[in-house]
Amino acid sequence: MCNLYAQTKSQDAMRRVFDGLLEPEEVLDDQLGNLAPMPGIFPDYAAPILRAGPGGFQLARAR
């Protein structure tokens, strides 16, 4: 599995995906910093993910 994935959307677009689905008490914690586009996401590369976190969700990197 090489180069099957790419991150083509902006970081702001990723933050807005679930705007209408968050409960009033939930937050989206952006832990990415300044994220550059990734035309190829390879095995063992850190890539952006959305995961459940304390009090809502986190936008973070994972391998």
Side-chain angles (χ1 to χ4, degrees):
M1 176 179 97
C2 288
N3 199 14
L4 290 177
Y5 301 99
Q7 178 253 315
T8 59
K9 299 294 182 188
S10 71
Q11 188 171 348
D12 186 49
M14 287 188 279
R15 282 192 294 259
R16 291 187 319 224
V17 167
F18 295 100
D19 277 351
L21 301 177
L22 292 176
E23 298 294 329
E25 68 276 359
E26 292 179 322
V27 296
L28 177 60
D29 181 19
D30 186 349
Q31 299 181 345
L32 292 176
N34 189 15
L35 181 67
M38 298 177 73
I41 298 174
F42 299 93
D44 209 31
Y45 277 31
I49 63 164
L50 184 68
R51 65 181 174 199
F57 295 90
Q58 296 174 334
L59 191 55
R61 291 180 193 249
R63 290 186 352 192

